[in-house]
Amino acid sequence: VAVVSYCVQSHRYNIVENFGCSGSPWMDVYAILGIHGPPVLLGTISFICGAVAIYNFIAQRRWFQVVLQQNSSLNTSRFVRLIGVAGVNIVISLLFAIRETVLTAHSVYPTVSWDYIHYDFDLVFTYDSAFLLGDPQAWVELNLSRWLPCVASFIYFAFFGMHEDMLSYYTYVWARLSQALLQTKERIFGQPL
């Protein structure tokens, strides 16, 4: 995707006030296929695999119980969380990738030539925040690209970081850290009064 992004990049980059740098692809057919195609393809593959896993889990519940008894590292709770992550991944990756592709496909530029697309390549456009306020779709796109990975990280943590095993591990780490900090304090400042 990075190579395709460079090939269809019309100028160096854009700087948006209160956001930072953003890419500047020349949205032609090659950009849509090369930049937006892989996320849709991977999201579709993820959708198919997740749907098959959910279907098999529901359809073959008795066989799954036998597999769980044979495999000590996998239990029902962990498997249900994996299925939940697959479902959330389907919603986030596939739907947003399709949305992005459809929105981009409405403004396809013609493919003229390499020289035409890369003319004045060192150009850097700057946009102030009034640009974002004037174009709500651009504001939504920039903020989705900024916050969606953070939301996905919190969802992943909610599935796997809040389980009983992890909570007991957090307690263990907190006790060890507290003990180490207390010992360091005693070494530096002496014994407590």
Side-chain angles (χ1 to χ4, degrees):
V1 174
V3 173
V4 175
S5 297
Y6 175 74
C7 291
V8 296
Q9 190 173 355
S10 61
H11 56 277
R12 187 65 69 190
Y13 53 86
N14 300 324
I15 299 176
V16 182
E17 182 182 15
N18 296 329
F19 179 77
C21 297
S22 68
S24 58
W26 179 266
M27 279 302 158
D28 60 357
V29 174
Y30 301 112
I32 291 174
L33 292 176
I35 295 173
H36 298 289
V40 172
L41 179 65
L42 292 175
T44 303
I45 292 170
S46 176
F47 172 79
I48 292 168
C49 292
V52 167
I54 292 170
Y55 173 77
N56 286 335
F57 175 68
I58 293 170
Q60 301 176 1
R61 214 172 169 91
R62 287 187 199 143
W63 177 78
F64 181 69
Q65 292 299 328
V66 172
V67 170
L68 285 180
Q69 291 170 357
Q70 294 173 353
N71 189 352
S72 63
S73 66
L74 186 65
N75 57 25
T76 306
S77 174
R78 189 171 292 160
F79 188 77
V80 168
R81 284 182 283 144
L82 287 171
I83 295 295
V85 166
V88 169
N89 187 24
I90 288 168
V91 171
I92 289 179
S93 66
L94 184 60
L95 293 181
F96 280 104
I98 290 172
R99 177 189 177 276
E100 183 74 25
T101 304
V102 168
L103 288 177
T104 303
H106 286 295
S107 59
V108 177
Y109 302 135
T111 303
V112 180
S113 70
W114 178 272
D115 292 334
Y116 182 80
I117 291 173
H118 295 301
Y119 178 76
D120 202 13
F121 186 75
D122 291 332
L123 183 67
V124 175
F125 283 136
T126 57
Y127 300 98
D128 60 358
S129 58
F131 165 75
L132 293 178
L133 297 175
D135 187 2
Q137 182 177 345
W139 185 86
V140 168
E141 295 299 320
L142 284 174
N143 280 302
L144 276 177
S145 68
R146 176 190 288 179
W147 293 109
L148 200 56
C150 299
V151 170
S153 299
F154 279 112
I155 290 171
Y156 185 79
F157 179 76
F159 274 110
F160 292 103
M162 299 304 288
H163 192 256
E164 297 91 21
D165 297 341
M166 291 308 299
L167 293 175
S168 64
Y169 181 72
Y170 298 151
T171 304
Y172 168 76
V173 169
W174 178 254
R176 293 290 304 241
L177 185 62
S178 303
Q179 183 182 16
L181 289 174
L182 185 61
Q183 289 173 355
T184 303
K185 177 185 166 207
E186 289 174 357
R187 265 187 279 149
I188 293 173
F189 298 110
Q191 296 294 326
L193 298 175

